[in-house]
């Protein structure tokens, strides 16, 4: 599904990481672990095509990147944000969006601008976004930050179901996931 060979990323001519190699097949998850500043976020952004790199990345499916800073417009509500973000894809119906917001326990907040919501509630909107995109390869950067225990269980269920449907996940997190993952250890260059 996605394979990387000899990836190198630099910032201001200083190496962030070198010689990163991995392959993630359908139904599998790769968990990127390492200390703060070891290059986990940079690697996800490289895979997403956001940051320049050398090496090779091949994939047979589209990828979606969800960073630890969400892309929600704070003046819009959850439904408006999802309708806008999903207009980039095969847009689901308003009913599908509202049903998915209900699955992540956010339907009561439709009509409330996102600036009124907690960080955990914003993360749950992003979970709904992932569920609705139908993109096969998820690149997730600290997606469990700000989630309470109930939302963390929901996150693990959503990821497990995505993998069971043949999707793939590459995730940077400091938490142990309840679903099976392979691990890529990033070394800190400090």
């Amino acid at each position: 599904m996605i394979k990387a060979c000899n990836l190198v990323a630099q910032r201001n001519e200083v190496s962030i990481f070198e010689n990163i190699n991995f392959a993630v097949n359908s139904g599998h998850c790769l968990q990127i672990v390492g200390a703060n500043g070891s290059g986990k976020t940079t690697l996800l952004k490289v895979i997403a095509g956001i940051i320049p790199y050398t090496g090779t990345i091949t994939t047979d499916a589209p990828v979606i990147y969800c960073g630890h800073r969400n892309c929600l417009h704070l003046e819009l509500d959850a439904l408006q944000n999802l309708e806008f973000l999903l207009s980039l894809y095969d847009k689901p119906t308003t009913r599908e969006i509202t049903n998915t917001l209900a699955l992540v326990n956010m339907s009561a907040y439709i009509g409330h601008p996102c600036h009124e919501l907690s960080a955990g509630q914003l993360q749950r909107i992003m979970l709904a976004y992932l569920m609705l995109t139908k993109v096969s390869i998820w690149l997730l950067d600290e997606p469990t930050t700000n989630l309470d225990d109930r939302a963390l269980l929901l996150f693990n269920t959503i990821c497990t179901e995505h993998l069971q449907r043949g999707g793939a996940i590459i995730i940077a997190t400091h938490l142990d996931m309840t679903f099976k993952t392979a691990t890529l250890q990033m070394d800190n260059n400090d």
Side-chain angles (χ1 to χ4, degrees), residues 9-37:
Q10 297 181 333
R11 183 178 300 122
N12 300 324
E13 298 183 26
V14 175
S15 176
I16 299 168
F17 56 76
E18 298 177 345
N19 301 317
I20 298 292
N21 300 286
F22 63 83
V24 181
N25 294 319
S26 175
H28 290 86
C29 178
L30 177 66
Q31 182 173 357
I32 305 168
V33 298
N36 297 120

Side-chain angles (χ1 to χ4, degrees), residues 66 87 127:
C66 284
S87 67
L127 291 178

Side-chain angles (χ1 to χ4, degrees), residues 13 33 37 52 77 86 89 116 119 121 126 137 149 158 172 174 181:
E13 298 183 26
V33 298
D77 73 8
L86 293 163
Y89 303 94
E116 294 179 359
Q121 290 169 323
M126 293 307 295
I137 303 171
D149 290 342
I158 290 166
H174 296 281
T181 66

Side-chain angles (χ1 to χ4, degrees), residues 39-180:
K40 299 180 300 293
T41 294
T42 300
L43 178 56
L44 288 172
K45 288 180 177 180
V46 161
I47 298 165
I50 298 169
I51 294 179
Y53 64 93
T54 59
T56 306
I57 299 173
T58 54
T59 180
D60 62 1
V63 302
I64 187 167
Y65 171 76
C66 284
H68 54 273
R69 293 185 186 129
N70 68 59
C71 57
L72 300 173
H73 190 291
L74 295 179
E75 297 304 317
L76 301 178
D77 73 8
L79 179 62
Q80 293 166 327
N81 266 291
L82 291 175
E83 285 179 332
F84 172 74
L85 291 171
L86 293 163
S87 67
L88 303 170
Y89 303 94
D90 291 334
K91 184 179 175 188
T93 65
T94 299
R95 183 179 198 154
E96 289 172 310
I97 296 172
T98 56
N99 288 344
T100 304
L101 284 169
L103 288 173
V104 297
N105 302 311
M106 288 302 295
S107 58
Y109 299 97
I110 294 173
H112 295 264
C114 285
H115 69 79
E116 294 179 359
L117 304 178
S118 72
Q121 290 169 323
L122 297 175
Q123 280 296 85
R124 292 198 322 241
I125 295 169
M126 293 307 295
L127 291 178
Y129 173 56
L130 284 171
M131 294 169 68
L132 289 161
T133 63
K134 304 201 180 7
V135 172
S136 299
I137 303 171
W138 294 357
L139 308 176
L140 308 178
D141 191 1
E142 298 292 349
T144 56
T145 302
N146 301 312
L147 293 181
D148 59 26
D149 290 342
R150 184 175 173 197
L152 187 56
L153 287 172
L154 176 65
F155 170 78
N156 281 298
T157 299
I158 290 166
C159 289
T160 299
E161 290 172 356
H162 179 67
L163 295 171
Q164 289 171 343
R165 285 190 306 271
I169 300 172
I170 302 176
I171 182 172
T173 182
H174 296 281
L175 297 179
D176 292 329
M177 299 291 96
T178 60
F179 49 91
K180 186 178 177 184

